[in-house]
């Protein structure tokens, strides 16, 4: 047991070290393949959560196929875009956010009209960050800003536009599957830090001071639910146009309800075919980038984004390390179906808890936990399976060995009831004794190997017949055996089976002796005694070795009946008591010549006993031919 406990302790320690290594490796930016798995699992959790109604704070005005067809070209002329902005401004939105890159100069009059339109309402314009092809290492002095996206430069709107509006960087961060999982809130170059487009829009809409702290961002006293690298995790509300979306053509025509614009954040962005950016999401294979930006703005303003802050990361670390160790402990606790059920239940409970937490806005990493738990669990499970198979094979070999010393029926009974016969049991049973006569003197003249071979053949013969008749050999007594019918439990036909077994043993033993070499066959014989009556069945022996046997007058009489058979020069002496009990069950003992009953005196017992004597037809003929011959 101590050896097994040591193995389990080593397995738990190795599992903890493996899980900790996986967590540290992924947290430090290595093991990027886990990001692909996490992205896929996030899609699954989003679909399980289902479509969620977004807070009504953002309206998208789409530069869609309809307005592009009316304008005749994309990008739209600056004068046409100015008309859209002015029409929106007349409906009194809180903020106008233009998710279009206005980098190049257009016609002077068009640029002037558009710049003038931005002055009507608070406006935020989109810019873009250009990143190097290779990842640049962060300087240690960067501190908490070390993990910000580091761009070569920013592509900013024309100065004429930027003078009349705020500017924010509109890049999003996609996972390895191409799905945007988060939006960076801050970007930097070597000498400058810029706010993201969603953060700039939210800041203007909320009108509270934005504070950048070492591990979080805040609007006044309200923290922003960003990750540790100032990235805002994205939780999609549903398929495209789940956030209120209006065609820009309807805005120009005045075919919209003022309530869809007034007091809300309006985001102007491209959704036309072939225009703007499109990304895969859990609900759509192609979702316009403006809707992803609008989702991020909604999270910031409504405060309903998913949380993946320092506290959540600590919970992730604990889960990543402790869950695999718990699963290994459960598998080691029960190396059977109970252990597998416990492990499966724990895995399902963790998966359910993870999905429920995600649905309630808490993003707990699942891929890292799976990577930390799966290899140790499979390895330990395979080891347990191999060890269990080895144990089963060893137990099977031991069982086969024990079968050579105990009756199979008795073994099965002991497996069902380990306390069988710990307390003595009184019941009726049939007892049969068989013994070779003349074998002791014969063995003095034979080679020990020949003697052993003869005994082995005789024992095998007895075992075969007793097993066929459903009896139990309690012991082989040298060149004899004691047989019980009635254990492990009494049956109505115990006496009948004992009588049939006794006669069968006579027939088979005679044939076996006749087949022996004449020098041996003429020197040995056998006697059988059989009786039926009450016995006391119990376990006898000490603490380290016990055997099951029967005691009582019935056992003594059955043994003495072999002497009666010898006195009458027959093979079998069977008590009339056994015959009567056999016939009560409908059996008739007619095989061979069963003569009697005769009154026989039993040594050590007062009075006489009615006994039936049996000998085969061949023995009777030999006796008539040689009346003076004796065994």
């Amino acid at each position: 047991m101590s050896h097994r406990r040591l193995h389990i302790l080593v397995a738990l320690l190795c599992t903890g070290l493996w899980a900790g290594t996986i967590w540290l490796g992924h947290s430090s930016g290595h093991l990027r393949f886990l990001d692909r798995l996490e992205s896929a699992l996030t899609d699954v959790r989003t679909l399980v959560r289902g479509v969620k109604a977004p807070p009504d704070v953002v309206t998208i005005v789409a530069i869609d196929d309809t307005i592009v067809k009316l304008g005749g070209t994309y990008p739209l002329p600056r004068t046409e875009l100015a008309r859209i902005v002015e029409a929106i401004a007349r409906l009194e939105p809180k903020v106008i956010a233009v998710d279009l890159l206005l980098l190049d100069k257009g016609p002077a009059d068009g640029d002037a009209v558009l710049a003038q339109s931005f002055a009507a309402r608070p406006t935020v314009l989109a810019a873009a960050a250009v990143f190097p092809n290779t990842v640049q290492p962060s300087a240690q002095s960067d501190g908490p800003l070390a993990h910000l996206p580091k761009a070569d430069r920013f592509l900013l709107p024309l100065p004429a536009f930027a003078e009349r509006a705020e500017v924010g960087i509109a890049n999003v961060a996609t996972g390895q599957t191409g799905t945007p999982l988060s939006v960076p809130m801050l970007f930097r170059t070597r000498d400058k830090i810029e706010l993201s487009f969603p953060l700039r829009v939210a800041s203007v809409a909320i009108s509270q001071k934005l504070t950048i702290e070492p591990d979080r961002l805040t609007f006044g006293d309200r923290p922003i639910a960003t990750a540790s690298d100032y990235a805002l995790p994205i939780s999609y509300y549903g398929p495209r146009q789940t956030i209120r979306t209006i065609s820009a053509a309807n805005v120009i025509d005045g075919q919209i309800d003022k309530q869809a614009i007034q007091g809300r954040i309006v985001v102007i962005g491209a959704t036309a075919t072939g225009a703007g950016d499109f990304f895969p999401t859990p609900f759509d294979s192609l979702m316009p980038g403006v809707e992803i930006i609008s989702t991020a703005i909604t999270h910031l303003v409504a405060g309903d984004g998913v949380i993946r802050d320092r506290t959540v990361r600590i919970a992730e670390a604990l889960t990543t390390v402790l869950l695999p160790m718990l699963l290994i402990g459960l598998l080691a606790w029960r190396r059977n179906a109970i252990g597998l059920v416990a492990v499966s239940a724990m895995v399902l409970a963790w998966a359910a808890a993870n999905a429920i937490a995600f649905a309630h806005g808490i993003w707990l990493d699942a891929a890292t936990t799976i990577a930390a738990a799966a290899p140790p669990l499979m390895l330990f499970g395979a080891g347990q399976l191999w060890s269990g198979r080895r144990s089963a094979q060893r137990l099977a070999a031991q069982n086969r060995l024990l079968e050579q010393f105990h009756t199979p029926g008795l073994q099965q009974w002991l497996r069902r009831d380990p306390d069988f016969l710990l307390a003595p049991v009184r019941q009726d049973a049939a007892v049969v004794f068989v013994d070779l006569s003349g074998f002791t003197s014969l063995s003095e003249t034979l080679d020990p190997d020949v003697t052993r071979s003869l005994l082995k053949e005789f024992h095998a013969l007895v075992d075969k017949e007793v097993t066929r008749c459903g009896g139990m050999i309690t012991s082989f007594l040298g060149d004899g055996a004691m047989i019980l019918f009635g254990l492990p439990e009494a049956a109505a036909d115990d006496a009948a089976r004992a009588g049939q077994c006794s006669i069968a043993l006579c027939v088979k033993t005679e044939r076996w002796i006749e087949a022996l070499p004449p020098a041996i066959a003429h020197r040995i014989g056998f006697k059988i005694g059989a009786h039926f009556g009450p016995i006391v069945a119990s376990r006898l022996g000490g603490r380290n070795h016990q055997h099951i046997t029967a005691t009582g007058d019935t056992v003594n009489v059955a043994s003495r009946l072999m002497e009666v058979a010898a006195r009458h020069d027959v093979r079998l002496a069977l008590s009339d008591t056994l015959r009567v009990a056999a016939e009560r069950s409908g059996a008739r003992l007619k095989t061979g010549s069963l003569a009697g009953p005769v009154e026989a005196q039993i040594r050590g017992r007062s009075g006489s006993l009615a006994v039936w004597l049996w000998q085969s037809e061949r023995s009777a003929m030999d006796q008539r031919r040689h009346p003076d011959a004796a065994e």
Side-chain angles (χ1 to χ4, degrees):
M1 182 61 71
S2 59
H3 189 63
R4 181 170 179 266
R5 288 178 178 174
L6 179 61
H7 283 179
I8 294 173
L9 180 59
V10 171
L12 291 175
L13 290 176
C14 291
T15 300
L17 288 174
W18 165 265
T21 301
I22 292 294
W23 167 255
L24 292 175
H26 187 237
S27 299
S28 60
H30 303 292
L31 307 178
R32 305 308 301 176
F33 71 92
L34 292 178
D35 293 337
R36 178 178 291 274
L37 177 60
E38 180 62 19
S39 179
L41 292 174
T42 301
D43 290 351
V44 171
R45 285 174 288 187
T46 302
L47 293 173
V48 169
R49 185 209 66 196
V51 177
K52 178 181 176 182
D56 191 15
V57 297
V58 174
T59 298
I60 298 173
V61 173
I63 309 297
D64 55 10
D65 291 332
T66 302
I67 190 66
V68 170
K69 186 176 181 180
L70 291 175
T73 184
Y74 184 85
L76 293 178
R78 297 284 168 84
T79 54
E80 191 71 11
L81 184 58
R83 289 180 59 198
I84 296 171
V85 173
E86 290 171 354
I88 294 172
R90 286 193 292 271
L91 298 177
E92 300 177 351
K94 183 176 292 185
V95 180
I96 299 175
V98 183
D99 186 23
L100 301 170
L101 294 180
L102 304 174
L103 309 178
D104 302 321
K105 289 184 178 182
D109 56 343
D111 287 350
V113 172
L114 182 58
Q116 185 63 34
S117 69
F118 293 153
R121 298 296 297 177
T123 304
V124 179
L125 303 179
V130 178
F131 294 95
N133 293 328
T134 59
V135 178
Q136 301 295 326
S138 299
Q140 295 295 329
S141 60
D142 290 340
L145 304 180
H147 298 291
L148 293 182
K150 187 175 182 180
D152 275 347
R153 64 187 189 281
F154 296 128
L155 303 178
L156 302 175
L158 292 175
F161 301 145
E163 289 173 357
R164 292 175 170 82
E166 301 284 346
V167 176
I169 308 301
N171 297 65
V172 298
T174 60
Q176 294 190 10
T177 60
T179 299
L181 300 178
S182 62
V183 175
M185 294 290 96
L186 301 174
F187 296 84
R188 67 171 185 151
T189 59
R190 292 182 178 179
D191 56 355
K192 189 176 183 181
I193 292 178
E194 285 285 353
L195 304 186
S196 71
F197 182 68
L199 183 59
R200 185 71 74 179
V201 172
S203 178
V204 174
I206 294 174
S207 300
Q208 291 188 9
K209 180 181 179 182
L210 173 66
T211 304
I212 301 175
E213 299 180 10
D215 57 351
R216 65 175 185 168
L217 303 173
T218 59
F219 285 131
D221 296 331
R222 195 188 82 179
I224 301 172
T226 61
S228 57
D229 56 355
Y230 299 106
L232 179 74
I234 297 294
S235 177
Y236 294 96
Y237 296 109
R240 62 190 300 176
Q241 297 190 5
T242 299
I243 294 177
R244 186 202 307 266
T245 302
I246 301 171
S247 173
N250 294 335
V251 173
I252 293 176
D253 294 342
Q255 301 177 5
I256 59 170
D257 183 1
K258 182 178 181 181
Q259 298 301 320
I261 300 295
Q262 189 177 36
R264 288 171 170 78
I265 299 170
V266 177
V267 182
I268 303 173
T271 64
T273 304
D277 296 326
F278 290 83
F279 301 91
T281 71
F283 297 103
D284 276 306
S285 58
L286 293 175
M287 178 176 280
V290 64
E291 191 150 356
I292 294 170
I293 291 295
S294 298
T295 300
I297 294 172
T298 303
H299 287 341
L300 290 170
V301 175
D304 68 338
V306 292
I307 300 172
R308 206 176 187 188
D309 56 13
R310 183 184 298 275
T311 302
V312 173
R313 299 292 284 178
I314 292 173
E316 287 177 359
L318 292 174
T319 304
T320 301
V321 174
L322 295 180
L323 180 63
M325 296 178 70
L326 178 59
L327 295 177
I328 294 298
L330 288 175
L331 201 58
W333 170 60
R334 285 289 187 271
R335 294 188 296 180
N336 52 23
I338 296 177
L340 293 177
V341 169
V343 168
S344 301
M346 182 58 63
V347 171
L348 291 176
W350 166 79
N354 191 284
I356 292 172
F358 188 84
H360 287 78
I362 300 174
W363 185 350
L364 293 166
D365 188 287
T368 307
T369 305
I370 292 174
L377 197 62
M378 289 188 292
L379 185 62
F380 188 77
Q384 291 285 84
L385 184 63
W386 176 80
S387 176
R389 184 169 297 178
R390 286 284 303 274
S391 298
Q393 291 173 348
R394 184 169 59 253
L395 288 174
Q398 292 174 350
N399 192 55
R400 287 192 298 269
L401 180 62
L402 289 174
E403 285 177 355
Q404 301 175 22
F405 297 92
H406 296 284
T407 304
L410 182 59
Q411 289 181 6
Q412 296 173 7
W413 196 272
L414 286 171
R415 281 195 290 268
R416 291 196 299 267
D417 182 13
D419 296 332
F420 177 60
L421 292 184
L422 277 180
V425 174
R426 179 179 293 273
Q427 66 179 56
D428 286 339
V431 184
V432 178
F433 279 90
V434 58
D435 184 62
L436 291 176
S437 55
F439 188 81
T440 301
S441 59
L442 175 65
S443 61
E444 293 178 358
T445 62
L446 294 178
D447 183 81
D449 290 337
V450 177
T451 302
R452 176 182 176 277
S453 178
L454 286 173
L455 281 178
K456 187 174 180 180
E457 291 177 7
F458 175 65
H459 290 169
L461 182 153
V462 174
D463 179 69
K464 181 178 179 181
E465 291 305 315
V466 172
T467 301
R468 183 179 65 84
C469 295
M472 184 187 81
I473 301 173
T474 61
S475 61
F476 282 107
L477 308 173
D479 53 4
M482 176 181 172
I483 305 160
L484 281 178
F485 290 84
L487 286 181
E489 60 182 342
D493 62 344
D494 286 336
R497 289 184 289 109
Q500 292 168 357
C501 181
S502 299
I503 295 171
L505 282 174
C506 289
V507 174
K508 297 296 177 63
T509 305
E510 276 196 343
R511 292 176 183 174
W512 171 67
I513 292 176
E514 289 173 358
L516 294 174
I520 297 176
H522 287 105
R523 297 183 60 183
I524 62 173
F526 66 93
K527 297 294 181 286
I528 298 175
H531 186 41
F532 181 83
I535 65 166
V536 177
S538 62
R539 295 188 189 184
L540 295 180
R543 180 177 181 181
N544 296 324
H545 175 74
Q546 294 182 341
H547 66 281
I548 291 175
T549 189
T551 57
D553 183 64
T554 301
V555 178
N556 296 332
V557 170
S559 176
R560 298 289 191 266
L561 284 175
M562 289 191 296
E563 299 176 2
V564 174
R567 287 201 304 268
H568 289 80
D569 200 17
V570 295
R571 302 298 191 188
L572 166 65
L574 184 147
S575 70
D576 190 59
T577 306
L578 188 147
R579 182 193 63 81
V580 172
E583 291 183 354
R584 279 202 301 266
S585 66
R588 293 287 181 179
L589 305 178
K590 294 183 178 180
T591 303
S593 300
L594 194 60
V598 298
E599 293 297 322
Q601 194 69 33
I602 305 300
R603 180 167 58 89
R605 214 166 174 265
S606 61
S608 61
L609 180 68
V611 177
W612 292 80
L613 306 176
W614 184 95
Q615 64 180 8
S616 66
E617 295 292 340
R618 181 173 300 179
S619 298
M621 292 175 60
D622 290 344
Q623 188 174 13
R624 287 194 294 269
R625 292 174 184 173
H626 309 285
D628 297 331
E631 291 285 349

